Amino acid sequence: MAVPAPPGLGHTFFEQLLVQRRVIGALLMREMLTRYGRRNIGFLWLFAEPMMVTLIVTALWTTRGLHQYSDIPIAAFAITGYSGIQLWRNMSRRCIDAIEPNRALLRHRPVKMLDIYLARMLLEVAGTTTSFALLCVMFLMFSDQITPPEDILEVAYAWGLFAWFSMGMSISLGALSELTPLVNKFWPPFIYIFYPLSGAMFLVDILPHGMREFVAYIPMVHANEMLRHGFFGSHFTAHYDISYLIGWCLGLCVFGLGLSRMTVEHRLS
């Protein structure tokens, strides 16, 4: 006689998908309340924080007169660059050691390790995307330092690839941090190394040829170049390879999911 499935787990793929959607929704609400619910402006801080940081960077670059060296709008340059940094930086930091404070949740059979990662990553994507969109709208409405994107579909496509890459990298780092504590010690310094190399602070077209070949191996550079090409592509020559970026996204996702499975088996053994 067949053993019935436990209540709430469902029998078919679609039923299990609905269960996972409810689990991730509940984890999202829990994460929002835990992180923002009892602090100052609450969940509004989710996108207010990246907005403030991006505005400060834009003001500093404008004050130093960097806009005088190019006809590229400095506000758009700063918003596109620093918003991308916050996407992969915050997402990766939230996934490293994310299981330890949520270990009790894994006692519930519908809750998986990947669900905890997805909830945290979706929250970061929502906050950073909202701040990115609001900053663009605010500068368009109240300032002449930014022009409308030349290709809004390319901007959306590039941002989606940026988020996909960040999620794959974050899952990989999160699963790896469960196997060794060295990830939590070495990743923060690596973040500061990737800051100047991620393409957020420069355009590939202005670099010497030898440097162009070097930065072409860094996937974040391709995402930044594509994002800026959608904003002001007529002002510069973009250098990016979509297939290379997608290859990195797929590779990181496969590696991260496989590593997550290995981590689960390691804990059960």
Side-chain angles (χ1 to χ4, degrees), residues 127-237:
T128 311
T129 303
T130 303
S131 70
F132 176 58
L134 286 178
L135 281 171
C136 293
V137 172
M138 286 171 54
F139 273 95
L140 282 171
M141 293 177 61
F142 305 109
S143 173
D144 58 352
Q145 299 186 36
I146 187 172
T147 56
E150 297 180 5
D151 189 342
I152 189 66
L153 292 180
E154 186 176 16
V155 171
Y157 186 29
W159 189 256
L161 289 176
F162 222 143
W164 184 13
F165 169 81
S166 302
M167 293 177 78
M169 181 179 67
S170 300
I171 293 174
S172 301
L173 290 171
L176 196 60
S177 68
E178 296 300 312
L179 298 176
T180 171
L182 295 178
V183 176
N184 196 23
K185 297 182 181 297
F186 284 100
W187 180 242
F190 272 111
I191 289 179
Y192 291 102
I193 295 176
F194 278 124
Y195 274 175
L197 298 176
S198 65
M201 303 177 183
F202 62 84
L203 296 174
V204 177
D205 194 51
I206 67 174
L207 298 177
H209 286 285
M211 194 64 179
R212 289 185 194 177
E213 296 175 359
F214 171 74
V215 299
Y217 291 103
I218 304 174
M220 290 92 81
V221 172
H222 296 266
N224 272 304
E225 287 284 299
M226 184 179 178
L227 185 65
R228 284 172 172 155
H229 186 259
F231 255 91
F232 38 82
S234 62
H235 295 277
F236 76 109
T237 302

Side-chain angles (χ1 to χ4, degrees), residues 49-58 61 75-90 93 128 131-132 135 159 162 192 195 198-201 224 227-228:
E49 180 183 10
M51 281 180 63
M52 290 172 58
V53 176
T54 308
L55 283 172
I56 292 173
V57 172
T58 303
W61 287 6
F77 186 85
I79 291 171
T80 52
Y82 206 77
S83 295
I85 285 180
Q86 292 202 319
L87 192 62
W88 59 264
R89 181 198 65 179
N90 294 347
R93 290 172 61 183
T128 311
S131 70
F132 176 58
L135 281 171
W159 189 256
F162 222 143
Y192 291 102
Y195 274 175
S198 65
M201 303 177 183
N224 272 304
L227 185 65
R228 284 172 172 155

